[in-house]
Amino acid sequence: MWTQHLFLAGRIGWTALLPGAVLASIATTMLSLSATLYMPAALNRALNEYGSLGLVLTLLSWLIAICAAVTFALTIGAVLAQEPPLNRFLTTDRRTP
């Protein structure tokens, strides 16, 4: 949430960033849990078949998957924050009467 606020230079309020932060944390948690099951076997298989190049490509593929999950989560969170019914709870009207 802090990173989003920093990259957007404070133009978006903290509450509007909340759905994206929650979705990104869920996505990274699910990926880290699945990594404990999948990555050891994938790394061993890639190391046996392709050597150190397979190891590097497997790790890069996993990093790409993490980046894609976070990007999709933040994008979906931005849409959720702008569309009803969440937008009335997350955005504040900055106009004063």
Side-chain angles (χ1 to χ4, degrees), residues 12-71:
I12 307 294
W14 288 100
T15 55
L17 300 176
L18 187 61
V22 169
L23 289 174
S25 66
I26 291 170
T28 55
T29 301
M30 296 306 289
L31 281 172
S32 69
L33 291 175
S34 64
T36 59
L37 300 174
Y38 173 72
M39 286 304 285
L43 289 172
N44 285 334
R45 187 175 54 244
L47 189 60
N48 289 336
E49 291 180 19
Y50 303 107
S52 59
L53 180 63
L55 186 74
V56 169
L57 291 176
T58 303
L59 289 174
L60 285 176
S61 298
W62 192 252
L63 288 175
I64 290 170
I66 292 172
C67 290
V70 169
T71 302

Side-chain angles (χ1 to χ4, degrees), residues 75-90:
T75 303
I76 292 168
V79 171
L80 288 175
Q82 294 174 358
E83 298 295 322
L86 285 180
N87 67 342
R88 63 184 157 149
F89 299 114
L90 298 175

